[in-house]
Amino acid sequence: MQKGTKRNIFVAATYAAVLLLGILLGQNYVEEQGNKPGNSLVPIGLSNNTWKIQQLIDLIDNSYVDSVNIDSVQNGAINHIISHLDPYSSYLVPNESQRQTEILEGTFEGIGMEYFNLNDTLMIVSLINGGPAEKAGFRVGDKLIKIGNRTVAGVNISREQVEKLIRGRRGTAVNVHIKRDNVEPTDPVSVVRDQVTVSSLDVVYMIKPGIGYIKVRRFGINTGDEFRQAVIELKKQGAKRLVLDLRDNGGGYFHMAIKMASEFFQDRRLIVYTEGAHEEKHEYFSEEGGAFTDGGLAVLINENTASASEIVTGAVQDWDRGTIIGRRSYGKGIVQEQFDFSDGSTVNLSIARYFTPLGRSIQKKYTPNWSNMVDFNNMYKGLWALDTLYAHGRAYKTMSGKQVYSGGGIMPDIIVAQDSNALNLFYQDLIQYSFIEQFVYARFTKKLPAYSIENFLQGYHLPDNEYHKFIDFVRAEGFVISDRKKNDLRDVIESDIEALVGRYYFGREAYFKVKNRNDAFVKQALEFLAFPPQ
């Protein structure tokens, strides 16, 4: 296949459920070298053996006993080839490719609302600030009855169907019938679709006097600028130390990881380099003059911190710029390049490994797992088994003399033990079946509170009787929970309920502020920044 004029490189991300493992979508960046080939796929000089694939498809199309969808046949053939290469190479059909781009770039054409399906009724639980829905007059708590001419309440409509009704070309209008305070207005709310931008930063605030906190959701197209501006604003508020939360961040654009890491260095530093069998070694350096070059820095990571997040973490650790706190990161150290087909589908092909400044590869071992090939529809799910055990690879020393290792993921400098309650199967079921959301949106959304966000954050705690009502609610749904387990899980469940109530009343920022009040990772980071070792 011949490549075109522009190259996109991907590092696997966690943002879609289209492929295995949940951390398999890519991150791309446009390389600086203008003369490099790029991402257009067109046929050239194929060998006789290569033509066999096309000949087989033509044979099926022209001679097979039944009519078949030849596009599905071709997609299946490509999927079969790509999925057997490694856990990260992937093939995305056009709508999957478009969704990947929207997620990574943080932009889409729609109206900017988030809803929850409560008892087969769609209730608005969040509005994007300044988005089309907010401008049109929608409120949190409104229930959607009809979108256009389609009834959406009480008809068991799927999320995919709702998305098709709400989304559309920028500048087009859609009428939405709602119910507000149990009253259904005669006239619908008309909203004009527009481009909606979602920040890649979940929250930015002063968590303690002198200490700023930034949680990064993904490395999107604007993350570098958003992060720099956030740091500047925190410094204006007196931040001399920083907690950077990269937990559950599956990655994003490769060059945004380099740009973010640059903010921690005054001079030009090696951040990462890539190399592969068909890729020469290429080094990527920080830009000079970072916005946070000398303050205390704690980086929070966990087992879902992957790829681009690991690039930032590795650079901070290798250069002794900050302290890594949490649990071993995911261990995704392979780079994908994106190739586009003319129909809008894409192939994200693994082309190189990346290495931290000291030369560490943090890619975990992977092997084929053929035993999981159960049926045609699921034969590729779980095809690859990733090694979850950590074995020290080659040892490296930082300039301060600290030993770090290659191998599966990045080991933190300070380890936070896993909360056994968070791993409890009953608690996992609560999350999977959205019981906490159902309880909160059914009980706490009747009317807005009479107190301010400051009072809520400082003093609100779930009343005792509400926790008992939650347990009664879950038991009524058929779940069995012992009194002992009810007591063991109380703190984690109450924290989730309080955070969700805060999000509904006061927005996304309140959710994380409430969660951070009793977060073990955050407590460890604040303690370290307050009393760093001498």
Side-chain angles (χ1 to χ4, degrees):
M1 296 292 189
Q2 181 180 353
K3 304 176 185 178
T5 59
K6 188 174 75 170
R7 119 186 290 189
N8 291 320
I9 293 186
F10 283 72
V11 183
T14 61
Y15 298 112
V18 286
L19 292 171
L20 44 137
L21 299 176
I23 309 183
L24 300 190
L25 282 183
Q27 301 105 338
N28 58 353
Y29 70 88
V30 179
E31 189 148 40
E32 301 292 334
Q33 304 172 55
N35 60 348
K36 283 281 187 177
N39 64 353
S40 176
L41 286 176
V42 294
I44 62 169
L46 301 176
S47 68
N48 290 334
N49 285 338
T50 308
W51 276 116
K52 288 170 66 176
I53 298 174
Q54 185 60 52
Q55 289 172 340
L56 175 61
I57 292 175
D58 290 342
L59 181 63
I60 293 171
D61 191 27
N62 295 322
S63 304
Y64 186 61
V65 61
D66 295 319
S67 296
V68 297
N69 185 324
I70 206 64
D71 287 340
S72 297
V73 173
Q74 291 175 325
N75 289 340
I78 296 173
N79 242 330
H80 184 85
I81 295 170
I82 296 298
S83 64
H84 284 73
L85 298 176
D86 61 76
Y88 309 106
S89 294
S90 59
Y91 171 69
L92 304 181
V93 296
N95 64 318
E96 294 171 343
S97 180
Q98 180 182 358
R99 180 172 290 272
Q100 172 186 264
T101 300
E102 290 177 347
I103 291 171
L104 291 174
E105 294 192 355
T107 60
F108 60 91
E109 292 186 350
I111 63 176
M113 69 166 56
E114 183 178 345
Y115 61 87
F116 181 79
N117 192 329
L118 180 66
N119 301 324
D120 206 13
T121 299
L122 309 180
M123 184 174 72
I124 299 176
V125 297
S126 180
L127 296 168
I128 293 178
N129 291 335
E134 184 182 68
K135 291 179 180 177
F138 287 97
R139 299 178 191 171
V140 169
D142 288 346
K143 295 179 174 64
L144 309 184
I145 306 302
K146 291 176 63 177
I147 302 176
N149 295 320
R150 177 79 178 271
T151 298
V152 297
V155 294
N156 196 29
I157 192 169
S158 70
R159 176 171 288 272
E160 290 74 19
Q161 290 172 316
V162 175
E163 291 293 313
K164 289 181 180 179
L165 294 172
I166 289 180
R167 293 203 181 185
R169 187 165 46 85
R170 182 178 185 179
T172 59
V174 59
N175 293 326
V176 182
H177 290 262
I178 65 170
K179 179 182 287 187
R180 177 177 296 168
D181 299 329
N182 291 322
V183 176
E184 185 176 343
T186 304
D187 297 326
V189 179
S190 180
V191 54
V192 178
R193 300 179 178 97
D194 200 350
Q195 180 167 302
V196 178
T197 301
V198 182
S199 174
S200 56
L201 308 185
D202 273 324
V203 65
V204 178
Y205 71 105
M206 293 293 293
I207 193 167
K208 290 285 186 182
I211 303 178
Y213 173 92
I214 302 176
K215 182 171 178 59
V216 184
R217 183 189 316 177
R218 63 173 175 272
F219 288 81
I221 195 70
N222 297 314
T223 301
D225 292 336
E226 290 175 346
F227 181 75
R228 182 179 180 86
Q229 188 58 41
V231 168
I232 291 173
E233 290 301 318
L234 288 174
K235 289 175 70 174
K236 289 179 180 178
Q237 298 174 46
K240 299 186 182 301
R241 289 153 290 173
L242 179 66
V243 179
L244 171 59
D245 195 341
L246 295 179
R247 290 176 295 172
D248 301 317
N249 183 322
Y253 286 114
F254 184 97
H255 69 291
M256 284 300 147
I258 298 166
K259 191 167 185 177
M260 178 185 289
S262 297
E263 302 299 345
F264 302 123
F265 303 103
Q266 183 62 44
D267 53 355
R268 191 169 184 264
R269 301 284 184 98
L270 177 65
I271 300 299
V272 66
Y273 68 88
T274 60
E275 197 169 16
H278 305 288
E279 293 287 322
E280 295 182 357
K281 181 178 180 180
H282 193 96
E283 298 178 327
Y284 299 87
F285 292 85
S286 63
E287 303 171 5
E288 298 181 8
F292 196 82
T293 60
D294 54 8
L297 174 64
V299 181
L300 307 185
I301 64 171
N302 65 4
E303 56 278 355
N304 296 322
T305 300
S307 61
S309 298
E310 292 174 295
I311 290 175
V312 174
T313 304
V316 169
Q317 190 175 55
D318 282 12
W319 286 113
D320 293 313
R321 174 59 189 90
T323 298
I324 313 303
I325 298 173
R327 293 196 290 273
R328 175 168 61 97
S329 64
Y330 180 79
K332 199 292 182 178
I334 291 182
V335 180
Q336 281 77 51
E337 181 174 351
Q338 176 181 295
F339 298 89
D340 298 333
F341 288 98
S342 60
D343 67 346
S345 60
T346 59
V347 168
N348 298 335
L349 187 67
S350 296
I351 62 164
R353 297 179 184 271
Y354 75 75
F355 301 83
T356 70
L358 288 177
R360 292 188 288 159
S361 170
I362 53 85
Q363 173 60 49
K364 65 173 66 175
K365 180 183 177 182
Y366 53 85
T367 53
N369 184 17
W370 303 106
S371 63
N372 278 0
M373 295 175 62
V374 179
D375 56 60
F376 179 78
N377 290 327
N378 297 302
M379 65 185 300
Y380 303 119
K381 295 179 181 179
L383 174 62
W384 294 95
L386 294 173
D387 182 10
T388 58
L389 300 177
Y390 183 81
H392 286 322
R394 178 182 170 186
Y396 299 80
K397 277 193 176 182
T398 68
M399 293 182 65
S400 69
K402 177 175 62 181
Q403 273 202 331
V404 293
Y405 299 89
S406 61
I410 293 175
M411 285 297 291
D413 303 310
I414 299 175
I415 296 176
V416 176
Q418 176 69 273
D419 182 359
S420 60
N421 287 323
L423 296 176
N424 180 269
L425 293 179
F426 176 78
Y427 177 72
Q428 293 298 320
D429 283 340
L430 295 182
I431 301 301
Q432 179 181 353
Y433 295 104
S434 303
F435 281 128
I436 295 176
E437 287 91 340
Q438 291 181 46
F439 180 76
V440 168
Y441 295 140
R443 289 190 60 80
F444 293 92
T445 59
K446 308 300 183 185
K447 60 181 180 179
L448 293 177
Y451 37 79
S452 68
I453 182 173
E454 290 79 12
N455 292 334
F456 178 86
L457 295 173
Q458 291 174 6
Y460 178 80
H461 294 284
L462 191 72
D464 286 346
N465 66 314
E466 291 296 342
Y467 181 68
H468 298 311
K469 288 178 180 177
F470 173 75
I471 296 299
D472 291 340
F473 162 71
V474 173
R475 285 172 171 166
E477 293 293 327
F479 281 77
V480 177
I481 178 173
S482 67
D483 289 339
R484 178 179 176 180
K485 186 56 62 179
K486 177 182 73 174
N487 294 331
D488 289 344
L489 294 175
R490 179 163 185 163
D491 287 343
V492 65
I493 293 175
E494 283 191 339
S495 176
D496 287 346
I497 293 175
E498 290 167 1
L500 202 59
V501 171
R503 182 176 185 266
Y504 182 83
Y505 287 157
F506 302 111
R508 189 177 186 85
E509 181 176 321
Y511 176 88
F512 292 100
K513 287 183 175 180
V514 172
K515 288 294 290 181
N516 284 344
R517 292 189 306 199
N518 297 303
D519 187 280
F521 291 75
V522 173
K523 285 183 176 179
Q524 185 67 69
L526 295 178
E527 181 179 337
F528 171 80
L529 291 174
F531 305 103
Q534 301 299 318

Short mmCIF file of all heavy atoms in Angstrom, two decimals, residues 20 35 43 51 62 97 147 150 178 193 207 260 285 287 303 351 387 397 427 469 472 493 500 519 529:
data_model
loop_
_atom_site.label_atom_id
_atom_site.label_comp_id
_atom_site.label_asym_id
_atom_site.label_seq_id
_atom_site.Cartn_x
_atom_site.Cartn_y
_atom_site.Cartn_z
N LEU A 20 -11.36 -4.91 21.90
CA LEU A 20 -10.99 -5.59 23.11
C LEU A 20 -10.28 -4.72 24.11
O LEU A 20 -9.66 -3.73 23.77
CB LEU A 20 -10.07 -6.79 22.76
CG LEU A 20 -8.99 -6.50 21.75
CD1 LEU A 20 -7.67 -7.13 22.17
CD2 LEU A 20 -9.42 -7.09 20.43
N ASN A 35 8.49 15.62 5.00
CA ASN A 35 8.72 14.77 3.85
C ASN A 35 8.40 13.31 4.13
O ASN A 35 8.65 12.45 3.31
CB ASN A 35 10.18 14.88 3.39
CG ASN A 35 11.16 14.46 4.48
OD1 ASN A 35 10.76 14.30 5.62
ND2 ASN A 35 12.42 14.29 4.11
N PRO A 43 -4.08 0.75 -3.59
CA PRO A 43 -3.35 -0.45 -4.02
C PRO A 43 -2.24 -0.12 -5.01
O PRO A 43 -2.40 0.70 -5.90
CB PRO A 43 -4.44 -1.30 -4.68
CG PRO A 43 -5.45 -0.32 -5.14
CD PRO A 43 -5.44 0.79 -4.14
N TRP A 51 -3.03 -10.86 -4.18
CA TRP A 51 -4.27 -10.75 -4.95
C TRP A 51 -5.27 -11.85 -4.59
O TRP A 51 -6.46 -11.73 -4.88
CB TRP A 51 -3.95 -10.84 -6.45
CG TRP A 51 -3.54 -9.53 -7.05
CD1 TRP A 51 -2.35 -9.21 -7.58
CD2 TRP A 51 -4.35 -8.36 -7.16
NE1 TRP A 51 -2.33 -7.91 -8.03
CE2 TRP A 51 -3.55 -7.36 -7.78
CE3 TRP A 51 -5.65 -8.03 -6.80
CZ2 TRP A 51 -4.01 -6.08 -8.04
CZ3 TRP A 51 -6.12 -6.76 -7.06
CH2 TRP A 51 -5.30 -5.80 -7.68
N ASN A 62 -19.52 -13.09 -6.82
CA ASN A 62 -20.07 -13.47 -8.12
C ASN A 62 -20.64 -14.89 -8.16
O ASN A 62 -21.49 -15.19 -9.00
CB ASN A 62 -19.00 -13.35 -9.20
CG ASN A 62 -18.54 -11.92 -9.40
OD1 ASN A 62 -19.34 -10.99 -9.35
ND2 ASN A 62 -17.24 -11.74 -9.62
N SER A 97 -14.59 5.04 13.44
CA SER A 97 -13.47 5.96 13.23
C SER A 97 -13.87 7.39 13.56
O SER A 97 -13.11 8.14 14.18
CB SER A 97 -13.00 5.86 11.77
OG SER A 97 -11.91 6.75 11.53
N ILE A 147 -38.32 13.84 20.86
CA ILE A 147 -37.25 14.52 20.13
C ILE A 147 -37.68 14.53 18.67
O ILE A 147 -37.81 13.47 18.04
CB ILE A 147 -35.89 13.82 20.29
CG1 ILE A 147 -35.51 13.73 21.77
CG2 ILE A 147 -34.81 14.54 19.51
CD1 ILE A 147 -34.23 12.95 22.03
N ARG A 150 -40.40 11.94 17.34
CA ARG A 150 -40.21 10.60 17.91
C ARG A 150 -40.39 10.64 19.43
O ARG A 150 -39.71 11.38 20.14
CB ARG A 150 -38.80 10.11 17.56
CG ARG A 150 -38.43 8.75 18.15
CD ARG A 150 -39.04 7.60 17.38
NE ARG A 150 -38.65 6.32 17.94
CZ ARG A 150 -37.56 5.64 17.59
NH1 ARG A 150 -36.75 6.15 16.65
NH2 ARG A 150 -37.28 4.49 18.14
N ILE A 178 -40.42 18.46 26.52
CA ILE A 178 -39.90 18.10 27.83
C ILE A 178 -41.00 18.12 28.88
O ILE A 178 -42.09 18.64 28.64
CB ILE A 178 -38.77 19.06 28.27
CG1 ILE A 178 -39.34 20.48 28.47
CG2 ILE A 178 -37.63 19.04 27.29
CD1 ILE A 178 -38.37 21.44 29.13
N ARG A 193 -28.41 22.97 16.64
CA ARG A 193 -27.19 22.20 16.81
C ARG A 193 -25.97 23.05 16.47
O ARG A 193 -26.01 23.90 15.58
CB ARG A 193 -27.20 20.94 15.94
CG ARG A 193 -28.36 19.99 16.23
CD ARG A 193 -28.28 18.79 15.31
NE ARG A 193 -29.33 17.81 15.55
CZ ARG A 193 -30.45 17.73 14.87
NH1 ARG A 193 -30.70 18.62 13.89
NH2 ARG A 193 -31.35 16.80 15.14
N ILE A 207 -6.76 22.80 45.96
CA ILE A 207 -7.24 21.77 46.87
C ILE A 207 -6.83 22.07 48.31
O ILE A 207 -7.51 21.67 49.25
CB ILE A 207 -6.73 20.39 46.42
CG1 ILE A 207 -7.47 19.28 47.15
CG2 ILE A 207 -5.22 20.26 46.58
CD1 ILE A 207 -7.25 17.89 46.56
N MET A 260 2.48 18.57 27.37
CA MET A 260 2.20 18.67 28.80
C MET A 260 3.47 18.47 29.61
O MET A 260 3.75 19.22 30.56
CB MET A 260 1.14 17.66 29.22
CG MET A 260 0.87 17.71 30.72
SD MET A 260 -0.27 16.44 31.30
CE MET A 260 -1.79 17.05 30.60
N PHE A 285 11.66 16.10 22.19
CA PHE A 285 12.17 16.92 23.29
C PHE A 285 11.10 17.92 23.77
O PHE A 285 10.19 18.29 23.02
CB PHE A 285 13.41 17.69 22.84
CG PHE A 285 14.61 16.81 22.59
CD1 PHE A 285 14.79 16.19 21.37
CD2 PHE A 285 15.55 16.59 23.59
CE1 PHE A 285 15.89 15.38 21.13
CE2 PHE A 285 16.64 15.79 23.37
CZ PHE A 285 16.82 15.16 22.14
N GLU A 287 9.59 21.53 24.95
CA GLU A 287 9.79 22.93 24.62
C GLU A 287 10.36 23.65 25.83
O GLU A 287 10.15 23.24 26.97
CB GLU A 287 8.44 23.56 24.22
CG GLU A 287 7.76 22.85 23.05
CD GLU A 287 6.34 23.35 22.83
OE1 GLU A 287 5.94 24.31 23.53
OE2 GLU A 287 5.64 22.77 22.00
N GLU A 303 -3.85 1.53 37.64
CA GLU A 303 -3.74 0.48 36.64
C GLU A 303 -4.38 0.86 35.31
O GLU A 303 -4.17 0.18 34.30
CB GLU A 303 -4.34 -0.83 37.16
CG GLU A 303 -5.78 -0.73 37.61
CD GLU A 303 -5.94 -0.19 39.04
OE1 GLU A 303 -4.91 0.03 39.72
OE2 GLU A 303 -7.09 0.03 39.46
N ILE A 351 3.52 0.29 14.81
CA ILE A 351 4.71 0.45 13.98
C ILE A 351 5.98 0.62 14.79
O ILE A 351 7.08 0.49 14.25
CB ILE A 351 4.56 1.67 13.05
CG1 ILE A 351 4.41 2.94 13.87
CG2 ILE A 351 3.41 1.48 12.07
CD1 ILE A 351 4.63 4.21 13.08
N ASP A 387 0.05 -9.84 30.28
CA ASP A 387 0.66 -10.26 31.54
C ASP A 387 0.40 -9.20 32.60
O ASP A 387 0.84 -8.06 32.47
CB ASP A 387 2.16 -10.45 31.34
CG ASP A 387 2.87 -10.93 32.58
OD1 ASP A 387 2.17 -11.30 33.54
OD2 ASP A 387 4.11 -10.94 32.60
N LYS A 397 19.09 3.98 36.58
CA LYS A 397 19.25 4.91 37.69
C LYS A 397 19.02 6.33 37.21
O LYS A 397 19.54 6.75 36.17
CB LYS A 397 20.64 4.80 38.31
CG LYS A 397 20.77 3.67 39.31
CD LYS A 397 22.06 3.79 40.12
CE LYS A 397 22.13 2.71 41.18
NZ LYS A 397 23.36 2.82 42.01
N TYR A 427 -20.11 -4.41 45.05
CA TYR A 427 -19.93 -3.01 44.68
C TYR A 427 -19.79 -2.86 43.17
O TYR A 427 -20.33 -1.93 42.57
CB TYR A 427 -18.70 -2.45 45.39
CG TYR A 427 -18.39 -1.01 45.02
CD1 TYR A 427 -19.20 0.03 45.47
CD2 TYR A 427 -17.32 -0.69 44.20
CE1 TYR A 427 -18.94 1.35 45.13
CE2 TYR A 427 -17.04 0.62 43.85
CZ TYR A 427 -17.86 1.64 44.32
OH TYR A 427 -17.60 2.93 43.97
N LYS A 469 -31.85 3.50 53.30
CA LYS A 469 -32.84 3.46 52.22
C LYS A 469 -32.21 2.96 50.93
O LYS A 469 -32.86 2.26 50.14
CB LYS A 469 -33.46 4.84 52.02
CG LYS A 469 -34.41 5.24 53.14
CD LYS A 469 -34.97 6.64 52.92
CE LYS A 469 -35.92 7.03 54.06
NZ LYS A 469 -36.43 8.41 53.92
N ASP A 472 -32.01 -0.76 51.19
CA ASP A 472 -33.36 -1.30 50.98
C ASP A 472 -33.71 -1.31 49.50
O ASP A 472 -34.31 -2.26 48.98
CB ASP A 472 -34.39 -0.49 51.77
CG ASP A 472 -34.26 -0.68 53.28
OD1 ASP A 472 -33.64 -1.67 53.70
OD2 ASP A 472 -34.75 0.20 54.02
N ILE A 493 -19.65 3.71 49.26
CA ILE A 493 -20.95 3.97 48.63
C ILE A 493 -21.45 5.37 48.98
O ILE A 493 -21.95 6.10 48.12
CB ILE A 493 -21.97 2.90 49.05
CG1 ILE A 493 -21.58 1.54 48.47
CG2 ILE A 493 -23.38 3.29 48.60
CD1 ILE A 493 -22.47 0.39 48.92
N LEU A 500 -22.24 12.29 43.52
CA LEU A 500 -23.23 12.36 42.45
C LEU A 500 -24.28 13.43 42.75
O LEU A 500 -24.74 14.14 41.85
CB LEU A 500 -23.89 11.00 42.25
CG LEU A 500 -24.54 10.75 40.89
CD1 LEU A 500 -23.51 10.88 39.78
CD2 LEU A 500 -25.17 9.36 40.84
N ASP A 519 -10.23 10.63 49.40
CA ASP A 519 -9.51 9.80 48.44
C ASP A 519 -8.11 9.47 48.97
O ASP A 519 -7.34 10.37 49.31
CB ASP A 519 -9.41 10.54 47.10
CG ASP A 519 -8.82 9.66 46.02
OD1 ASP A 519 -7.58 9.52 45.98
OD2 ASP A 519 -9.59 9.13 45.20
N LEU A 529 3.35 16.44 49.65
CA LEU A 529 3.68 17.81 49.26
C LEU A 529 3.81 18.73 50.47
O LEU A 529 4.55 19.71 50.44
CB LEU A 529 2.61 18.34 48.30
CG LEU A 529 2.59 17.69 46.91
CD1 LEU A 529 1.41 18.21 46.10
CD2 LEU A 529 3.90 17.95 46.17
#
